[in-house]
Amino acid sequence: GCAAQPGSDIPTSSQPRRGGRLRVAFAGGGAQETLDPHLANLFLEASRSKAMFDKLADYGADVSIVPRLASKWEAGKGLSTWRVTLRAAAFHDGRPVRAADVLHSYARIADEKRTFRAKANLALIDLRNSRAIGDRTVEFALKRPYAEFPNVLAAFGAYIVPEGADEFSRPVGSGPFAFGSFQPGRSLLLKRFAGHWDGAPYVDELEYLIANEESARVNAVLGGQAEYAHDLTPATARTHENGGRMAVVRLSNSGMQAFAMKVDRPPFDDPQLRQAMFLLADRSQMVDSVLSGAGQPGNDLFGKDYLYYAADLPQRTPDLERATWLIDRAGAKGMRIQLDTSAAASGFIEAASVFADQARQAGLDITAKTGNKDTYWADVLNKGTICCYRSGAMPIETHISQRLLSHSTTNATKWARPEFDALYDKAVGTGDETRRRALYLDMQRTLHAEGGFLVWGFADWLLGTSPRLRGVVNAPANTLDWARFDKVWLG
Amino acid sequence: MNGPDAVERPDAAERPDAAERPDAAERPDAVERPDAVERPDAAERPGSVVRASAGKGAVWLRRGLGVVLMGVPLVIALLGPWLAGAPEPRGVSFAAVAPLGTDFVGRDVWEQVLLGGRSVVSVAVLATLLAYAAGVPLGLAAALAGRSRLDEVLMRPLDLLLAVPSLLLLIMLAALFSPGPAALVLIVALIGLPEVVRISRAAALEAAGGTAMQALRLQGETWWRRAVGYAGRSMLATLVADVGVRLVGALYLVASASFLGVGLPPDASDWAVMVDRNRTGMFLQPWAVLAPALLIVALSVGLNLTFDRAVRKGGRP
Amino acid sequence: MILQVDGLRAEVDGRALVDGVSFELAAGDVLALVGASGSGKTTTGLALLGEHAPGVRLSGTVRLAPGAVAYVPQHPSTVLNPVRRVGGVLREIARRRDVGEREIARRRPDAGERVLEAARQARLSVELLGRYPHQLSGGQQQRVVLAQALLLDPVLIVADEPTTGQDGLTRAEVIEEFRGLRTQGIALVLLSHDLAMVRTLADHVAVMRDGRVVESGPASDVLNAPRHDYTRRLLTTRLLPRSPEAPEPPRTAENPDGPDGRDGPDAPAVVPAGVPLIEVRGLVAGHRRAGVLREVSLSAAAGECVAVVGRSGSGKTTLARCVAGLHRPGSGTITMNGEPLPRRLPARARDVQYVFQDARASFDPYRPVSAQVARTAVRLRGASPAQAAAAARAMLDRVGLDERTTARRPAALSGGELQRAALARALLAEPKVLICDEITSGLDALMQAAILDLLDGLCRDLGLTLLLISHDPDVVARLADRVVTLENGRITAQKARPTSPSAGTTSQSARITAQGAQITSESAQ
Amino acid sequence: MSLTRYALRRLLLGVVQVVAVATLVFVLTEALPGDAAVVLAGDIPDEERISRLREALELDRPAVERWAGWLAGLAGGDLGGSLVSGRPVAGVLAAGLPPTLVLAGLTLLLLVPVSVGAGVAAAVWQGGLLDRVLTTVTVGLYAIPEFALGVVLVALFAVRLGWFPPTAVGAPANLLEQPALLVLPLVVLLARPVCSISRLVRAGMIDALGSGYVAHARRLGLSLWRVRLAHALPNALAPAAQQLARTADWLLGGVIVVESVFVIPGLGTLLNDSVAARDVPVIQALCVLFAATTVAANLAADLASYRLAPAAAGTR
Ligand SMILES: Nc1ncnc2c1ncn2[C@@H]1O[C@H](COP(=O)(O)OP(=O)(O)OP(=O)(O)O)[C@@H](O)[C@H]1O
Ligand SMILES: Nc1ncnc2c1ncn2[C@@H]1O[C@H](COP(=O)(O)OP(=O)(O)OP(=O)(O)O)[C@@H](O)[C@H]1O
Ligand SMILES: [Mg+2]
Ligand SMILES: [Mg+2]
């Protein structure tokens, strides 16, 4: 369900109109960027890939899986083979999308020698034993039983490219827009693809403009140079919200904001101290100060409002007294703790600053250390004790498998428990939906009680759109309807 | 200006020290006037007496302007931390509450303003002083060396420093140095050093090539006295003009350095850091940017006006 | 009437520098202001243009006829723009747009030609026009300033010591040019110590002393029948040639052996009167590629005074600067007592001191003169600051400068006063060799005599070796034991003992030293 | 030694300097924490992934070997390929150069008359109202960070009044085709250098105006402004010329703030991006370019200094 909720004073009832060139402004990767959809990493690249290519499935607004190129999928016996049926669709050059294209695309992503982002998601597929059954059906063999296979089809960057494609200076895909022209670091011009299976876009042309500076994106919309500005700060949103020259769209629940404590080393190997941290955090103040109010408080769990989210667990509220008592018991009173932060994501520096203040009131001496923003993620993965952390939208299952299992490769909290791993294996090994839900709830209960993530909030993702632009819907970043331009129109 | 007829110049009244300036550039036109030039006795003209008393108030105001502009920020910087009181709980960021609203992390801007002057003044001033303390002698040495090998030995390595993009240098230093005010002062001074050397070298060249310099050498005068006492004195006006401006450059370098993780923490109470960090809310809650920016502007304008005055008072031979 | 001055007064802090000066000047008239060094001539001259030094207050009336007033300042180097080639400035003056009626009346042909004409009048050779001021010799700079004045087509020229840097021949030619100007109806105010020039040029003479005109009137009256005592003393003072029976140079520790006839292959023809204390051999020096000195050899014994004469631009100053260590020669040796002089300046400066031709430029404009003078004693003689100050006071006193004058910055001293201060500064180093580059050009006859007596005394009593550079044959005759003539960078003649050609006469031609009279191309190249 | 020979020697030294800078930068980037592989890995810094990336980018070869290879390539005019996009570095540079050249060129063109004019005016009427106003305005502008100035100007003149386009997004590759685009960036670029240079000109001018040669030039009947501009000014310019060279250097290095506020993808943005991506070949090539301009600017400034102080040029 994608509730259409465009910016404040735009009437939602207006009829879609054909035509025009839609210009959208994103922060970009500079002159070095490429159009290879499998290399997509930045929001800009994700949105461009989505415009030119399709995945087999994608995330809905609650991060459940919605079919795209795949019209349906069904598990074989034992959940270790999956049969996926493709719908009738065509690439921009007229060739139909076939099972061979799917296999080629997945093989390319999973290539041992390469490092595409979705590679980890696809690792479960035994491609050698997977095969095409006719042009429109693919049978995937998995390395072990896996109930959440549709998550793989929707993985970030798992786009379908034509068989043999390995060079993307003039990309050909099956998405709603076809390649027009490209100036690296400046702009990408796309043209409406009339033959798109999901209905052709309303606009004739789509131009991606690159403006790294937020103020420039906003000014481009205000000055009529663009119709859509991606990623605004809350302060900017508040500035222009009521000005009438730009509509602000809030994509709620787009980003988890957290502190990641490493549970395998002092001081946070002590559950009491983690508990104290959970209790001393004043989440609503964080949301107010750091997100300028553009978000909701978190409850130390990933994926608020997503499928399988444990919404029933009690919301934590600050309890300084108990936090202080716990800190005392943990023998950490007055302890100096270094909180790693950097400009790697917006809000990190502010979050560290505000949190350090709150911790001080409970008797902890937290100092923020600003690290290099470019290598931040690698730096904090194994080093330090507590760091700022954020995550975009993904299924809760993916979050767990990538970050919270003993063998997870990006386990920033060093959460490694055999009994937790077992729960996970059970969950993805059962085809029974209710049982799976119960298992996820169990896992989340453990994490809520003593996990390493202090999830203090969920940030809204903020967009600025020109009043002319209609049809922009509220969907968390990285989901299907976010930054999707085939269903919007210029009024 | 003080030809006998100069007392009639209207602007002379506004310049208390004008009577001592041999502003000869404007002088001789009087002689060329086609009609006979009458040069009346200046001492007997009542105008000169009236002028002195009438100009007094204006003169005081003008003298005061620079000092006031400079004084307010300095006083806030010095006394602010005592006036600030205990930190108040944070509010919503960029809220327009009294007196100056809140900043990007919901702190009270007025309190931040009170707290934020000390580091600005001390770090920027120290760094600038350090850059000058090292740069001016180097520049003088290079100038006095003429186009000799010493000049190359001094200047070419500094060219290297100039040629490395400062962004790279900053990131690099950020990675190497542990954050701290001392490191910050060093870094900012280091980045400013080559320019100081080049400018002081250029300013000293003329004095260095002059006869007086040779006379001083013939007197066995020490390098220090020749360079600093004579060449340094003759380029004082240039240096003062430069330092007045360079200080501000140092200030904002501190701010960008803090953003990259060098020196001050990125949420430090520091005017320059405040300007830099609160810019996202510039139109929402302008005071968070305006207040510290105005203080910095006042400080540098006041500094420049006062320096101008001091140099003018110091006079020329 | 071109100029009418009435009750001119200049004062500093209530002290009068010039007081009650009044005179009138008609077209084509020449008024000479003569008087003691520091008597207020320059101050008066500047006041005619409505100018004054900083801190000075002017009062009184100056009335001027329409037309340009040209000014030839006493110190040319301070008025030449260091970054402009001299020819460029001359052309600029010739082209200037605010042309008076006089110019329109006779439309001048062409700026370039006018520049050439002015340069010719000022005896400035054309090659020099492409140079920067610092690339010119003292005399050449002076002629540039003169050419500038002549280009102006003025009604009045105020010329402050216009010929001090010129050799006899050029001086005579310049005086001749001034005479020519008179016939064009240009009035001239001449501020000068050069009584011979005054005699040939002036219609009226005013004698100044301590800021007041003590006597004035037609030139013939004042010069031939002076009424005031001071004028009389000024006119009667004669520089007496050094007595023929020169004393044996004193045997100092440095040359105990006396003469030993060490004539090298290129030894001068005239044997110096004693063992050479300082010896220059085969000196070659120049600026960039242009050679100035070619194989100059020269020597001087202790206590001896060797005069170096020659035309302006012949390389005298360059030679002196080489000896002093301020200019690196291309080749050649300079030895003292057979030892090469130390290359490093402070060590060398203890033995060899140089008094700059341009006294004003050689002082730091920011510090009081007395303080600068005293530093020599501190640095080179190791005196304590207090001792140095006392020594400086004593030395300044000997050259006739009182404490009040020298407590001021250089800009507030007159040209002659600075020249004396510069001499005092060099003498404080108690050097073995003193090089004097035109040090008496700005002094009145009385003061000149006193200074030369002082130097003579130092030579005789302390064995000071003097290298004297001067265009004034009287000065040379007064002091020199030997005269060396420099021409185009070569030594062309040496004479054992000059006779004063000017003794008793004032004729111009006689004042040209015989040795320097060849009319050759200016440029040293 | 003549100035020509001096310049030649400096140019030769310059080549050495450029290579030295490139080496230094190589060492610096090597010493920077993290390499292109780590940066490319982004927020999924899986160790295996990083080592694969490293292999793919040939970062596993020893640094010295890569350095030698790069230098050999440079000697042959080959700048290599970008680590991130694989495109030839020369092409990447060529795309970033024109906007930077346009901005820098126009800024310098305007900067000289404006700053010299302001400096001269302030000196001529020293201590007067104009002087104070000029001091206050220029120093005040200087004390406002470029970013704030840029954003305020855009908000006022582009968004509110609509006189100029707010950014250059979607502009033609050749910025000169749309001059209105350049107005605000130029104003922002000029604000600071005008201050620093005009202050230096003013200080030098005040000294020069008080000198004997200026007084004498007036006596010689040259017009007031001619004396100020042709006689006093050249003597006042030496320090300003140095500062001008620094400014030129700064401008040619690309000005990140202005480029990002107005979305002009020039060399500054390119450097910023490639440092962020640890794209060593691009960084190296940029630094060679910057070092060359720095050496050239310094040489020009030094020659100007000697021309403006001929007496000093003559010594030794
Ligand atoms: N600014 C000043 N302040 C105080 N005294 C001054 C100042 N300028 C000049 N004097 C003094 O005024 C006197 C006259 O100076 P002036 O230059 O007119 O002398 P002069 O006759 O030209 O001497 P000379 O022949 O040595 O050049 C000197 O004693 C000098 O020291
Ligand atoms: N820096 C320089 N560069 C080039 N030529 C120079 C330089 N300085 C002096 N000259 C030239 O060298 C020659 C000798 O100059 P020098 O100053 O030694 O002459 P001088 O004999 O002292 O003359 P004067 O009697 O006029 O002072 C002159 O022709 C002069 O023009
Ligand atoms: Mg005089
Ligand atoms: Mg000479």
Side-chain angles (χ1 to χ4, degrees), chain B residues 2 34 39 214 219-221, chain C residues 52 60 66 321 372 375 379:
Chain B
N2 33 9
R39 295 174 196 277
Q214 294 173 352
Q219 263 184 292
E221 201 50 284
Chain C
H52 55 79
R321 289 165 49 87
Q372 296 188 54
R375 283 295 291 176
R379 292 298 306 163

Side-chain angles (χ1 to χ4, degrees), chain C residues 22-25 29-35 41 188-190 192 194-208 213-224 226-227 231 234-235:
Chain C
S22 312
F23 54 83
E24 290 185 349
L25 208 58
D29 270 5
V30 177
L31 166 74
L33 276 181
V34 299
K41 300 184 294 296
L188 180 65
V189 176
L190 195 63
S192 182
D194 187 343
L195 293 178
M197 176 167 71
V198 170
R199 233 178 252 283
T200 37
L201 276 180
D203 303 310
H204 308 278
V205 172
V207 183
M208 290 189 70
V213 175
V214 293
E215 179 172 0
S216 68
S220 50
D221 293 4
V222 176
L223 294 178
N224 296 332
R227 272 168 292 132
T231 320
L234 201 61
L235 288 171

Side-chain angles (χ1 to χ4, degrees), chain B residues 2-4 20 24 27-28 31-34 36-42 206 211-212 214-222 225 230 233-234 316-317, chain C residues 49-52 58-64 66-67 69 82 98 321 345 349 353-354 356 361-367 372 375-376 379-380 409 425:
Chain B
N2 33 9
E20 284 160 32
R27 193 44 250 131
V31 186
E32 283 181 28
R33 269 183 270 159
V37 179
E38 176 87 27
R39 295 174 196 277
D41 189 342
E206 198 175 328
T211 309
Q214 294 173 352
L216 287 173
R217 284 175 61 207
L218 207 58
Q219 263 184 292
E221 201 50 284
T222 55
R225 281 234 186 185
Y230 171 59
R233 173 66 187 80
S234 62
R316 284 187 302 273
Chain C
L49 289 98
E51 292 179 35
H52 55 79
L58 289 185
S59 53
T61 333
V62 175
R63 281 199 186 76
L64 273 173
V69 180
D98 50 340
R321 289 165 49 87
L345 209 46
Q353 276 289 322
Y354 173 61
F356 290 82
S362 74
F363 278 96
D364 173 356
Y366 300 99
R367 286 193 299 146
Q372 296 188 54
R375 283 295 291 176
T376 308
R379 292 298 306 163
L380 295 178
R409 287 173 169 190
R425 174 169 68 177

Side-chain angles (χ1 to χ4, degrees), chain C residues 100 142 145 175 240 251-252 271 316 343 345 356 426 439 499:
Chain C
Q142 202 171 36
V145 176
I175 291 173
L240 297 174
R251 282 169 190 275
T252 58
V271 182
K316 302 182 296 296
R343 278 271 290 271
L345 209 46
F356 290 82
I439 57 161
T499 51

Side-chain angles (χ1 to χ4, degrees), chain A residues 50-363:
Chain A
K50 166 186 305 200
M52 290 187 288
F53 299 91
D54 277 315
K55 291 190 276 195
L56 291 182
D58 213 332
Y59 303 136
D62 62 350
V63 201
S64 60
I65 308 301
V66 289
R68 294 293 292 162
L69 277 179
S71 57
K72 71 176 190 326
W73 47 77
E74 51 202 352
K77 51 183 174 14
L79 294 174
S80 46
T81 55
W82 284 77
R83 184 172 288 223
V84 175
T85 313
L86 304 182
R87 68 177 80 239
F91 288 111
H92 302 147
D93 55 6
R95 285 180 288 163
V97 179
R98 295 164 307 128
D101 299 318
V102 174
L103 285 174
H104 163 77
S105 303
Y106 279 25
R108 183 172 189 260
I109 294 171
D111 188 342
E112 264 307 299
K113 293 197 211 65
R114 302 172 82 157
T115 51
F116 294 118
R117 191 182 169 107
K119 186 169 154 186
N121 303 65
L122 269 54
L124 217 57
I125 305 177
D126 179 2
L127 274 171
R128 211 162 301 155
N129 294 320
S130 306
R131 61 200 172 96
I133 304 172
D135 264 359
R136 303 269 291 275
T137 310
V138 192
E139 188 179 85
F140 288 105
L142 302 191
K143 291 173 181 158
R144 54 175 187 276
Y146 187 45
E148 300 276 30
F149 182 68
N151 285 351
V152 171
L153 305 181
F156 190 94
Y159 289 96
I160 306 304
V161 300
E163 187 175 9
D166 197 34
E167 203 273 327
F168 293 89
S169 57
R170 303 185 60 83
V172 172
S174 65
F177 292 94
F179 178 80
S181 63
F182 181 43
Q183 289 173 282
R186 292 174 189 227
S187 86
L188 168 70
L189 184 65
L190 303 181
K191 297 199 171 65
R192 176 176 185 267
F193 174 44
H196 191 241
W197 60 269
D198 196 16
Y202 296 119
V203 295
D204 287 335
E205 288 176 315
L206 171 62
E207 184 175 16
Y208 282 89
L209 300 170
I210 294 176
N212 285 321
E213 185 67 53
E214 186 229 15
S215 72
R217 294 195 294 275
V218 171
N219 287 330
V221 171
L222 292 174
Q225 294 178 314
E227 282 77 36
Y228 179 101
H230 187 251
D231 191 5
L232 310 188
T233 62
T236 317
R238 275 167 59 196
T239 310
H240 297 287
E241 213 150 29
N242 302 317
R245 302 183 70 150
M246 185 172 85
V248 174
V249 181
R250 293 171 182 273
L251 310 181
S252 43
N253 282 347
S254 282
M256 172 190 86
Q257 297 285 334
F259 298 108
M261 300 176 277
K262 297 213 167 17
V263 303
D264 66 336
R265 66 196 69 175
F268 296 112
D269 54 349
D270 184 343
Q272 294 179 83
L273 191 58
R274 298 209 291 275
Q275 191 72 33
M277 299 289 276
F278 289 145
L279 290 173
L280 68 83
D282 182 344
R283 292 142 211 267
S284 48
Q285 188 189 51
M286 300 276 286
V287 171
D288 278 351
S289 307
V290 179
L291 303 180
S292 225
Q296 310 166 44
N299 195 25
D300 302 326
L301 288 176
F302 175 81
K304 189 174 172 70
D305 296 345
Y306 296 173
L307 189 64
Y308 303 132
Y309 180 73
D312 301 337
L313 294 181
Q315 169 67 45
R316 281 212 172 93
T317 48
D319 185 346
L320 263 190
E321 211 169 301
R322 192 168 153 71
T324 318
W325 180 77
L326 280 168
I327 289 170
D328 261 351
R329 269 197 44 169
K333 192 166 166 57
M335 179 185 276
R336 289 194 63 145
I337 298 171
Q338 177 178 304
L339 168 57
D340 288 311
T341 186
S342 87
S346 63
F348 272 15
I349 286 171
E350 291 89 336
S353 155
V354 176
F355 187 63
D357 249 17
Q358 296 178 353
R360 206 161 294 127
Q361 288 167 21

Side-chain angles (χ1 to χ4, degrees), chain B residues 52-87:
Chain B
S53 56
K56 223 168 183 177
V59 165
W60 191 89
L61 188 83
R62 269 145 194 272
R63 187 171 305 168
L65 186 66
V67 176
V68 168
L69 279 179
M70 191 171 69
V72 169
L74 282 182
V75 166
I76 293 184
L78 277 177
L79 304 182
W82 282 302
L83 300 175

Side-chain angles (χ1 to χ4, degrees), chain D residues 79-226:
Chain D
L79 294 170
S82 155
L83 284 188
V84 181
S85 66
R87 271 197 287 275
V89 172
V92 174
L93 285 199
L97 202 54
T100 295
L101 283 184
V102 166
L103 277 185
L106 286 178
T107 309
L108 288 175
L109 218 62
L110 291 171
L111 176 62
V112 174
V114 172
S115 55
V116 169
V120 168
V124 164
W125 292 290
Q126 187 204 358
L129 192 63
L130 182 75
D131 182 19
R132 275 152 197 275
V133 168
L134 276 174
T135 302
T136 310
V137 169
T138 54
V139 174
L141 276 182
Y142 192 89
I144 299 173
E146 279 167 336
F147 180 86
L149 187 63
V151 168
V152 168
L153 286 182
V154 169
L156 188 62
F157 292 104
V159 174
R160 178 71 48 85
L161 298 172
W163 291 354
F164 308 105
T167 69
V169 295
N174 181 0
L175 294 173
L176 290 173
E177 285 171 27
Q178 222 174 312
L181 272 179
L182 293 167
V183 175
L184 293 180
L186 286 179
V187 171
V188 177
L189 281 180
L190 281 171
R192 305 196 99 202
V194 162
C195 173
S196 55
I197 294 178
S198 69
R199 300 285 299 156
L200 288 175
V201 171
R202 175 186 179 275
M205 244 341 240
I206 288 173
D207 270 351
L209 284 177
S211 67
Y213 49 81
V214 162
H216 193 64
R218 278 299 286 149
R219 290 180 200 133
L220 292 172
L222 300 177
S223 73
L224 191 54
W225 278 100
R226 181 151 196 115

